Amino acid sequence: MKTLLQGNYAVAEAVRLSRVQFVAAYPITPQTPIYERLSDYELEGKLKGVMMRTESEHSAMAACISAALTGVRTFTATASQGIALMHEMLHFASGNRVPVVMCNVNRVVAIPWAFGSDQSDSLSQRDTGWMQFYCEDAQEAVDTVIQAYKIAEQVFFPVMVCIDGFFTSHFLEPIDIPEQEMVDRFLPPPDIPNRFDIKNPAYVGNVVSPEQYMVFRQKSFEDMEKARGVIKRVDDEYREIFGRGYGYLEAVDTEGADVVLATSGAMTSTARVAVQSLKDKGYDVGLLKLRTFRPFPTKEIQEALKGVKKLAVLDRNISIGKEGIWCQELKAALYPLKERPTITNYIAGICGADVSPEMIEEMVINTLKREDAPELPVWVRRDQ
Amino acid sequence: MMLKEELEREYMRSGHMGCPGCGVATTLRLVLKVLGERTIVVIIPGCHAVISANYPNSVLKVPCFHSAFEIAAPTAAGISNALKIRGEEGINVLAVAGDGGTFDIGLQSLSGAADRNEDFIYLCLDNEAYMNTGIQSSSSTPEKVWTMTTPGGRKGRKKNLMQIIAGHRMPYAATVTMGKPLDLMEKIEKAKNIRGTKFIHALVPCPTGWRMAENLSAKSAMLAVESKLFPLYELIDGINFRITHEPQGIPVKEYIKIQGRYRHFTDSDVEALQKQVDEEWERLVEKAKSCI
Amino acid sequence: MDYIKITIEDIKPMSPFSQGSTEIFLTGQWSSRKPLYVEKTSPCRVGCPVGNDISRAFYLASKGDLDGALKVFREENPLPGVCGRVCYHPCESLCNRKEFDSSINIRGFERFLADNGRMNIAEEMAKTRKKERVAIVGSGPAGLSAAYHLVRLGFPVTVFEAMAEPGGMLMYGIPAYRLPRDVLKREIDYIKALGVEIKTNTRIGKDIDLASLKREYQALFISVGAHKAQGIGVEGEDLSGVMDGIGFLRDVHLGKRIRLNRRVIVVGGGNTAIDCARVARRKGAKEVTIIYRRSMTEMPALKEDIEWAQREGVKIMVLTAPKRIVGTENKVSSIECIRMELGEPDGTGRPRPIPISGSEFVLPADVVISAVGQSPDLGFLDDSGISITKRGVIETSFVTGTNVDGIFAGGDSSGNKAYVADAIASGKMGAFAIKCYLEGEDVQKEVEKYRIMDGSSISFGHILSPETHKADLRSTVPYEKLNTLCFQREKREDNPEILKPYRAVRGFGETVGSLNREGMDREIKRCFKCGTCTQCDLCFLLCPDISIVKNEDGYGTKKDYCKGCSICATSCPRNVIEIGGTI
């Protein structure tokens, strides 16, 4: 049975169902309803454990890290300035190899001050060593949060689940909230090693030599590579139990298509409408929905885009001085292929600016029309 | 009274890289004697992090975590809550930070944790400057004192941290120093048995940073106490002051004359400092008088 | 599905998880400076004529071992109950605590221990019994001390005493309100219990002679005291009503009927003068005046006794000397005095009193007691060949030897300082010199081994129990070497007054009582215990390198780790730690 819920509340449900033991958070728009709803659960006794209301996101992550090191299941949520403030701690979490799960509700980063969705806040945390998942809708967010714990606690990397501010976080959607019993079947109760065992004392996280530092870095790198298999297995199992799975990415009619539109996050839903409309008009168009950002699904992308001539990449983010971040990553992933598509990057929807199906259709058609891809990204927006 | 066992047991090891005469090493050692083996230590960057040793060694015989500079308090809070969740009782969580990590960069997170009255002991090892990075001024550096970043002497007085602590109404706060080890240990013993956030402000002599002969390390701490410059007291619930040691009241000059960081002090500087010290002491005595 | 369960072993290679020990780093190599524990001699001990190991006794007492503390005193002194009451306590003048707040009540401590501690005679008994016999002539403090130490060294000792009771001046000189006789008798009984034989009513030169003693005993110690009063040396000394102080005190002790008229003048400024004045008040004298030729500062009597005398109504006229005793019908009626002024120091180091001509005045008097000094009665030495000094005392070396082989002398009869403690000290030295003599050792050399600093006393603790006495006798602890930052200022506990002066003069009860336990504990705590390791743990606690280890009898150093910072030595409250090695 489906429940009509805002995305933030749906995430809170997933946290509850995952039997999270420790939550540390700090309010920030548009994440705050998650924090509020978890507070309600705490009061109602639905969230067994500790809810720490920290004085900053930085401290929230600090507390999640140390609690996770002590062997408990942790959660926090943030956005925008919050994740920026957390930046140091993000490195800290992955370096400590803790299975912290965080929901980042994408929002622009000041300045200028604004509130709408923009993936730059989390994408710019690319090299902090976190796993990153971008969800299309609230249902996927719920499922991904539950999956995240199972993945994190097997690979010992922190996981960031990203949803679009306001679009996903605040829109009401009919959502299938899984039964606790089924979640329990899928996700074992927390059994995380306590690194501060007084019977087996150790000094955790101390200074290392340059060579030792490289050894730990290499180990993390290799473990992240191994994590790919875990992500897939967990998603397959989830699909078996709950009937829903997402893969690293979703490729719809991409193989050999004249043009493929690559998107991520909430914009994918709009893109689906636009792609269908184009198909109806007779275009040979495919859709590539990108879900995992780290680890980056290079092989799966290469597979999905085999024989594709043109690729339009729609980015709700911008790396100033280069181009859209997904676009950069796709280009790098496709480079080893002998026959690769020409790639046009569209920057749209930043700060939640309107992106209609018509606008997307136009992008796809423009991509098809061009002989060569433009050097710089194409900015698409309505007039002010 | 300290138990014989508490005095003799040891949770710190020899062979660390602390400077000869290091006050941090001794202070931490004394604290751990009292806290015992059921203790988890959180440290942050600072001299104590150097002393704690490089991978794969540890100077401590208890679990320890090297956290980041500004988060000693929330890190400790995270651990203590996790222990509660895990049902592990009777384990002390000790957050150790220097004056930089407490007076400056970690003040916000300490305030947050204290406000929530998280259950841990916060030990501020105050050696009155950023010593680990090589003697740079912090807001704990005394007025006019030389550091590498205040070559002409620091402007402004040392931050009155205990006043800030008082504002948080912590169940227990105290000033201590290795110069009075039994007083220190008795206070840790008290802190150990109180639930909530306990704040211990330890004046820690630093021969290197204070430009002082290493053998004078402990003696300088005694001089700080006996000159009333660093009174030893407890602060219960942020309101009740109790002086735990009656100082001899020797001139503050005796304390500063052994330290090179005060070398440039003129007679009038010394006089002004003496006046400040006397006034602060009187204020403390007044506060203590009106308390239970 | 297969679930990968992550264990702590899996985590270890993921991020630093350190379980090794820093003890692999031998930081002791950073410096060759290392602490050395060297116990030293406390200034009070240096000041004590008897050489009592005071700081050690205080240390043991601070651990609750009062019996052990008493034993420490008894190692050097058989008469702690006596000294604890009547000693002039030069130890207190040298007490380092004087610089800090006020000196420790050391005499009160000794008295407390003597009155409250338990003695273990069996433990004090000599382990071996030697065959050379020693005779001691006179059972005053010097003789008793020599006998006690000799018997503890294993020599059979016989003491010959002219009077009916042993004790000498302690028995016949010091009034009971200062030294109750049961205290004295108790301590003499202990000496006897250790095996000392005391033959009373045996006067040398009358009941026995020196020559026969010399034949029967392998060594002799003469300590006959100074019981012969010196005259004032003025006209009228033969008048009825003029008495000698020492005879007066002896007669009072013997219970002779003494009637004192209204006005008594005592001439002198020593303890005998003060005792005579105070006894006179107790014997009914309404007006007692002491006349002394120098000023109050120079008075040899103890300050507290002078104060007591004054509070008991004794008047003291200083800078006054007798010129003539005037009598009517062969009976004292007044004394003519002359005012004095102080001149340059004389041979004794004190300013010389100079009469002011024309300042004569007359004081009415019914009794004049002369207490200006005593000398030994050495008639029995006439044919012995023993040298006597010009001052009329037996000539002895520093170690009490006379010019005659095998004969030693001490106490007042060899011109000692006339204080009980000095007499005890000379008895101690005599005992040691006799031991060396009998065992064929070089006494000078032996004494230097056990001599306390450059003083006149030796440490019997070091002689008899070297295993527990390790303090360096040749170094002491000046105040500056203490770390007084470890101490807190505290009020000195004085012995309580148990009789008000107006009641005190009605009898011979003790005027000053023993410290109570609380007061004693405060003094025990207050004592710095200079130079004695009290195992206060400060060095152990302060060591940043965990390089000081606790042993059963103190501390040791982990040289592999000690960085030589010397915090321990600088912080030691009692100056017990020295730094060895080179920088």
Side-chain angles (χ1 to χ4, degrees):
Chain A
M1 196 190 76
K2 294 201 174 187
T3 316
L4 206 56
L5 270 182
Q6 284 185 14
N8 276 331
Y9 293 158
V11 167
E13 286 282 359
V15 171
R16 175 181 64 76
L17 289 167
S18 300
R19 298 197 184 275
V20 166
Q21 297 164 296
F22 181 86
V23 177
Y26 185 79
I28 185 168
T29 304
Q31 165 276 128
T32 313
I34 301 178
Y35 183 17
E36 292 172 345
R37 181 50 58 94
L38 290 173
S39 299
D40 293 340
Y41 289 162
E42 187 203 27
L43 182 68
E44 293 159 9
K46 289 180 184 162
L47 187 81
K48 301 257 183 321
V50 173
M51 177 89 196
M52 190 190 281
R53 294 163 182 85
T54 58
E55 80 299 331
S56 76
E57 289 90 348
H58 191 281
S59 287
M61 183 49 68
C64 282
I65 293 168
S66 65
L69 285 167
T70 317
V72 300
R73 190 172 281 168
T74 57
F75 176 80
T76 186
T78 191
S80 178
Q81 310 300 123
I83 193 169
L85 180 64
M86 247 185 216
H87 175 73
E88 181 200 21
M89 289 296 101
L90 298 184
H91 282 283
F92 221 67
S94 65
N96 272 306
R97 302 293 300 271
V98 283
V100 173
V101 173
M102 170 166 77
C103 179
N104 183 65
V105 182
N106 290 121
R107 171 188 152 185
V108 287
V109 180
I111 256 174
W113 282 105
F115 305 93
S117 182
D118 175 349
Q119 296 169 333
S120 297
D121 60 350
S122 53
L123 287 175
S124 65
Q125 306 299 337
R126 184 186 69 178
D127 301 329
T128 54
W130 281 62
M131 293 182 153
Q132 288 196 17
F133 292 82
Y134 286 82
C135 302
E136 183 179 344
D137 54 27
Q139 181 67 62
E140 187 179 344
V142 169
D143 297 336
T144 306
V145 165
I146 296 169
Q147 286 188 14
Y149 281 103
K150 190 150 184 178
I151 297 165
E153 291 172 16
Q154 290 185 82
V155 300
F156 270 67
F157 278 107
V159 179
M160 198 185 293
V161 177
C162 302
I163 61 173
D164 285 69
F166 300 105
F167 296 125
T168 310
S169 68
H170 285 65
F171 282 15
L172 282 168
E173 293 179 50
I175 298 165
D176 184 0
I177 300 296
E179 292 295 318
Q180 179 72 62
E181 195 190 326
M182 284 169 78
V183 174
D184 286 346
R185 200 140 56 90
F186 170 77
L187 179 67
D191 183 13
I192 302 166
N194 174 11
R195 278 180 250 186
F196 306 130
D197 183 359
I198 53 166
K199 290 186 204 78
N200 182 28
Y203 179 12
V204 175
N206 50 340
V207 178
V208 299
S209 71
E211 282 69 25
Q212 288 164 347
Y213 189 90
M214 276 192 72
V215 167
F216 284 114
R217 271 290 171 268
Q218 191 179 344
K219 168 77 175 153
S220 286
F221 180 84
E222 289 165 1
D223 285 356
M224 186 68 99
E225 289 306 309
K226 285 182 205 154
R228 293 173 191 277
V230 176
I231 293 170
K232 182 159 184 345
R233 284 207 308 275
V234 168
D235 190 56
D236 289 348
E237 192 196 356
Y238 195 87
R239 191 193 302 271
E240 237 170 70
I241 297 177
F242 300 97
R244 287 183 300 277
Y246 305 92
Y248 296 108
L249 45 73
E250 182 187 346
V252 184
D253 302 331
T254 54
E255 210 175 316
D258 290 343
V259 62
V260 169
L261 174 66
T263 64
S264 64
M267 210 143 55
T268 309
S269 303
T270 318
R272 286 182 200 275
V273 174
V275 165
Q276 190 54 51
S277 165
L278 286 166
K279 275 183 196 275
D280 292 348
K281 290 170 187 163
Y283 289 98
D284 180 10
V285 54
L287 176 70
L288 180 68
K289 172 191 155 185
L290 296 158
R291 180 171 177 250
T292 55
F293 180 64
R294 281 294 178 273
F296 196 73
T298 305
K299 278 210 179 71
E300 288 75 8
I301 286 168
Q302 288 172 349
E303 192 64 32
L305 296 180
K306 208 176 272 174
V308 171
K309 290 171 197 72
K310 287 186 171 166
L311 179 63
V313 183
L314 182 44
D315 266 308
R316 196 200 286 277
N317 63 77
I318 180 68
S319 173
I320 293 170
K322 186 71 174 126
E323 59 195 335
I325 295 168
W326 287 105
C327 182
Q328 292 169 48
E329 298 278 330
L330 280 164
K331 282 180 176 175
L334 294 170
Y335 182 78
L337 296 182
K338 280 210 179 81
E339 290 187 20
R340 19 178 211 268
T342 55
I343 302 173
T344 306
N345 187 198
Y346 295 93
I347 307 296
I350 286 183
C351 198
D354 191 27
V355 183
S356 66
E358 293 72 29
M359 288 163 77
I360 296 177
E361 278 185 50
E362 209 180 314
M363 289 177 214
V364 175
I365 291 166
N366 274 341
T367 308
L368 265 175
K369 277 184 192 160
R370 285 176 185 275
E371 280 298 310
D372 294 311
E375 201 184 320
L376 295 177
V378 179
W379 287 74
V380 180
R381 57 172 161 78
R382 292 184 198 284
D383 292 335
Q384 270 186 305
Chain B
M1 265 309 270
M2 281 297 105
L3 297 172
K4 192 167 179 288
E5 186 222 326
E6 287 184 347
L7 284 169
E8 292 182 7
R9 64 191 183 181
E10 214 66 79
Y11 296 98
M12 212 164 136
R13 299 181 173 116
S14 296
H16 62 72
M17 296 295 132
C19 302
C22 176
V24 165
T26 296
T27 309
L28 191 54
R29 184 180 158 232
L30 294 173
V31 169
L32 288 174
K33 274 175 181 284
V34 182
L35 294 182
E37 69 174 343
R38 294 179 68 78
T39 301
I40 297 168
V41 180
V42 172
I43 62 164
I44 61 161
C47 290
H48 43 287
V50 174
I51 292 164
S52 60
N54 284 13
Y55 178 77
N57 298 311
S58 176
V59 81
L60 300 182
K61 296 178 190 169
V62 293
C64 178
F65 176 50
H66 190 337
S67 195
F69 210 174
E70 64 281 55
I71 50 162
T75 304
I79 294 172
S80 84
N81 279 303
L83 291 171
K84 193 156 72 180
I85 292 162
R86 292 174 65 91
E88 295 190 32
E89 284 176 5
I91 296 177
N92 312 298
V93 180
L94 174 73
V96 182
D99 48 295
T102 306
F103 286 65
D104 293 349
I105 198 167
L107 189 57
Q108 168 186 317
S109 72
L110 167 61
S111 175
D115 172 64
R116 297 188 301 273
N117 201 21
E118 302 283 4
D119 188 10
F120 65 95
I121 300 173
Y122 190 103
L123 171 66
C124 171
L125 299 173
D126 178 10
N127 52 21
E128 302 191 324
Y130 291 86
M131 296 309 184
N132 188 35
T133 44
I135 326 170
Q136 295 82 26
S137 169
S138 77
S139 62
S140 166
T141 304
E143 191 173 16
K144 292 180 185 164
V145 154
W146 169 92
T147 68
M148 293 291 273
T149 52
T150 54
R154 178 173 131 89
K155 290 187 174 62
R157 284 176 68 171
K158 180 182 170 118
K159 192 184 279 178
N160 190 334
L161 188 64
M162 286 300 267
Q163 287 290 92
I164 296 170
I165 295 302
H168 290 79
R169 299 181 190 84
M170 291 189 205
Y172 188 78
T175 60
V176 302
T177 176
M178 69 184 268
K180 300 287 167 186
L182 293 181
D183 175 86
L184 181 152
M185 292 173 82
E186 275 161 21
K187 285 170 179 166
I188 300 297
E189 181 76 49
K190 273 192 196 170
K192 183 180 167 180
N193 295 310
I194 294 170
R195 303 277 62 85
T197 311
K198 289 78 64 175
F199 183 81
I200 306 292
H201 181 191
L203 181 71
V204 173
C206 173
T208 310
W210 291 7
R211 292 289 186 253
M212 173 175 76
E214 58 211 34
N215 66 313
L216 292 173
S217 170
K219 204 162 183 178
S220 67
M222 297 175 196
L223 283 163
V225 172
E226 298 301 350
S227 67
K228 301 175 178 171
L229 182 122
F230 189 79
L232 297 178
Y233 60 94
E234 292 173 329
L235 174 53
I236 314 296
D237 300 328
I239 44 171
N240 284 318
F241 288 81
R242 192 177 79 84
I243 295 167
T244 58
H245 178 87
E246 192 61 40
Q248 291 179 14
I250 57 177
V252 74
K253 192 179 165 70
E254 300 294 313
Y255 169 70
I256 68 171
K257 78 179 182 191
I258 58 171
Q259 302 177 39
R261 61 178 179 151
Y262 286 99
R263 186 176 296 138
H264 55 287
F265 267 46
T266 61
D267 286 351
S268 66
D269 287 339
V270 176
E271 210 174 292
L273 177 60
Q274 183 70 57
K275 194 163 167 274
Q276 271 182 16
V277 166
D278 292 343
E279 284 168 4
E280 284 292 326
W281 170 255
E282 281 314 313
R283 263 194 281 279
L284 177 66
V285 169
E286 278 308 307
K287 275 188 265 187
K289 253 188 222 161
S290 59
C291 297
I292 311 149
Chain C
M1 75 170 269
D2 54 330
Y3 181 79
I4 310 162
K5 167 80 183 90
I6 300 294
T7 67
I8 206 81
E9 289 306 314
D10 298 323
I11 281 174
K12 281 179 184 178
M14 290 183 183
S15 73
F17 192 83
S18 299
Q19 295 188 296
S21 168
T22 50
E23 284 168 0
I24 57 167
F25 304 113
L26 302 183
T27 51
Q29 292 166 353
W30 296 9
S31 169
S32 60
R33 291 159 59 89
K34 308 289 166 204
L36 293 170
Y37 289 80
V38 185
E39 288 199 306
K40 300 181 183 66
T41 303
S42 57
C44 51
R45 184 174 201 192
V46 176
C48 174
V50 182
N52 282 319
D53 196 349
I54 297 160
S55 74
R56 187 177 164 77
F58 267 108
Y59 163 54
L60 292 176
S62 73
K63 300 262 155 187
D65 183 7
L66 290 180
D67 298 345
L70 175 59
K71 198 180 153 197
V72 167
F73 273 97
R74 287 184 57 80
E75 274 167 343
E76 312 298 335
N77 179 10
L79 303 169
V82 173
C83 289
R85 288 175 167 79
V86 305
C87 186
Y88 66 114
H89 51 75
C91 52
E92 292 182 24
S93 315
L94 290 182
C95 175
N96 272 331
R97 184 97 200 187
K98 209 168 101 178
E99 309 286 322
F100 188 70
D101 43 27
S102 48
S103 62
I104 299 295
N105 184 357
I106 301 172
R107 187 175 75 175
F109 176 56
E110 190 174 8
R111 170 174 174 172
F112 182 88
L113 293 177
D115 292 357
N116 298 288
R118 282 163 307 177
M119 281 178 244
N120 188 336
I121 293 295
E123 213 174 68
E124 292 186 358
M125 289 283 227
K127 305 281 173 291
T128 54
R129 188 125 177 107
K130 290 168 180 162
K131 59 179 192 304
E132 296 90 348
R133 299 169 66 220
V134 183
I136 290 168
V137 185
S139 68
L144 289 173
S145 162
Y148 169 81
H149 289 293
L150 279 164
V151 82
R152 292 197 66 211
L153 287 164
F155 295 99
V157 180
T158 309
V159 181
F160 298 93
E161 171 55 51
M163 301 292 283
E165 288 179 285
M169 279 296 185
L170 303 177
M171 185 62 78
Y172 295 100
I174 298 174
Y177 58 82
R178 285 213 289 140
L179 176 59
R181 292 303 181 262
D182 55 338
V183 172
L184 175 63
K185 283 177 181 157
R186 185 179 72 209
E187 296 196 325
I188 293 173
D189 285 346
Y190 284 130
I191 296 169
K192 287 192 203 160
L194 285 168
V196 172
E197 187 189 1
I198 302 179
K199 292 190 170 169
T200 51
N201 292 318
T202 313
R203 184 174 290 275
I204 190 148
K206 184 176 152 228
D207 305 313
I208 42 159
D209 61 56
L210 200 64
S212 61
L213 284 182
K214 252 192 100 177
R215 277 195 304 276
E216 280 173 52
Y217 295 86
Q218 282 68 52
L220 240 60
F221 185 75
I222 300 169
S223 50
V224 296
H227 294 269
K228 202 165 75 180
Q230 284 173 4
I232 306 171
V234 297
E235 184 190 323
E237 269 194 89
D238 51 349
L239 290 169
S240 162
V242 179
M243 325 178 175
D244 79 85
I246 210 74
F248 167 68
L249 293 173
R250 180 171 55 235
D251 290 348
V252 169
H253 172 68
L254 291 172
K256 290 198 183 154
R257 271 188 67 89
I258 295 169
R259 226 178 86 238
L260 287 180
N261 291 329
R262 234 166 54 84
R263 294 162 298 190
V264 175
I265 300 288
V266 179
V267 183
N271 279 322
T272 309
I274 298 292
D275 285 344
C276 288
R278 292 178 69 188
V279 169
R281 287 282 292 129
R282 282 162 174 76
K283 284 289 168 190
K286 292 280 173 286
E287 259 179 48
V288 180
T289 306
I290 291 173
I291 59 174
Y292 177 56
R293 56 194 183 140
R294 291 188 177 89
S295 76
M296 210 60 135
T297 326
E298 287 81 29
M299 260 182 125
L302 290 190
K303 202 171 144 270
E304 54 262 40
D305 288 334
I306 296 170
E307 280 167 13
W308 263 101
Q310 287 174 318
R311 292 175 62 208
E312 287 172 3
V314 174
K315 283 190 202 121
I316 299 176
M317 294 181 73
V318 291
L319 293 167
T320 305
K323 207 174 173 191
R324 189 162 65 97
I325 303 169
V326 185
T328 41
E329 296 168 15
N330 203 31
K331 225 174 145 299
V332 175
S333 61
S334 65
I335 181 165
E336 188 186 332
C337 302
I338 185 163
R339 294 283 185 202
M340 311 292 275
E341 60 184 358
L342 296 178
E344 290 302 302
D346 61 11
T348 66
R350 296 175 298 174
R352 183 190 302 279
I354 304 161
I356 304 170
S357 57
S359 68
E360 290 84 350
F361 63 99
V362 171
L363 288 172
D366 301 307
V367 167
V368 173
I369 299 174
S370 124
V372 294
Q374 299 99 249
S375 58
D377 187 353
L378 299 175
F380 67 96
L381 290 179
D382 282 352
D383 305 319
S384 66
I386 292 173
S387 297
I388 291 172
T389 67
K390 274 184 227 160
R391 283 176 53 225
V393 297
I394 301 170
E395 190 173 355
T396 55
S397 68
F398 170 68
V399 293
T400 74
T402 67
N403 61 323
V404 175
D405 205 36
I407 300 185
F408 300 80
D412 286 355
S413 55
S414 64
N416 230 275
K417 262 161 122 186
Y419 290 112
V420 173
D422 297 294
I424 294 171
S426 73
K428 241 176 106 171
M429 185 64 95
F432 187 67
I434 289 168
K435 171 211 177 259
C436 294
Y437 166 76
L438 293 174
E439 297 184 341
E441 291 166 338
D442 179 342
V443 63
Q444 296 292 350
K445 233 163 122 186
E446 288 298 302
V447 162
E448 288 312 312
K449 280 192 208 163
Y450 303 108
R451 189 167 167 194
I452 296 167
M453 295 299 285
D454 297 324
S456 57
S457 198
I458 51 178
S459 170
F460 258 78
H462 282 67
I463 297 166
L464 290 172
S465 339
E467 64 291 346
T468 48
H469 290 72
K470 296 205 171 80
D472 182 356
L473 293 170
R474 304 318 295 264
S475 60
T476 184
V477 183
Y479 180 71
E480 303 70 46
K481 288 254 180 141
L482 295 170
N483 178 11
T484 53
L485 295 168
C486 295
F487 303 113
Q488 274 182 291
R489 296 207 165 80
E490 314 258 1
K491 204 182 135 286
R492 173 187 156 113
E493 294 285 334
D494 280 307
N495 283 56
E497 232 173 79
I498 49 175
L499 279 180
K500 290 279 166 220
Y502 73 92
R503 288 190 69 90
V505 295
R506 291 185 201 165
F508 281 80
E510 263 192 299
T511 50
V512 172
S514 193
L515 281 169
N516 62 18
R517 185 62 205 245
E518 292 70 36
M520 193 67 261
D521 282 344
R522 279 193 287 275
E523 284 299 285
I524 289 167
K525 191 163 162 267
R526 215 165 68 88
C527 171
F528 289 156
K529 300 155 195 92
C530 307
T532 297
C533 176
T534 63
Q535 303 190 22
C536 73
D537 286 344
L538 193 65
C539 54
F540 168 73
L541 291 174
L542 292 181
C543 179
D545 297 299
I546 313 101
S547 294
I548 293 176
V549 286
K550 291 181 80 165
N551 299 331
E552 263 175 39
D553 59 340
Y555 306 93
T557 310
K558 291 201 289 190
K559 295 197 169 53
D560 281 346
Y561 302 106
C562 168
K563 295 172 188 162
C565 71
S566 314
I567 283 183
C568 48
T570 306
S571 306
C572 178
R574 313 178 166 83
N575 187 218
V576 172
I577 309 172
E578 297 294 322
I579 296 298
T582 48
I583 298 164

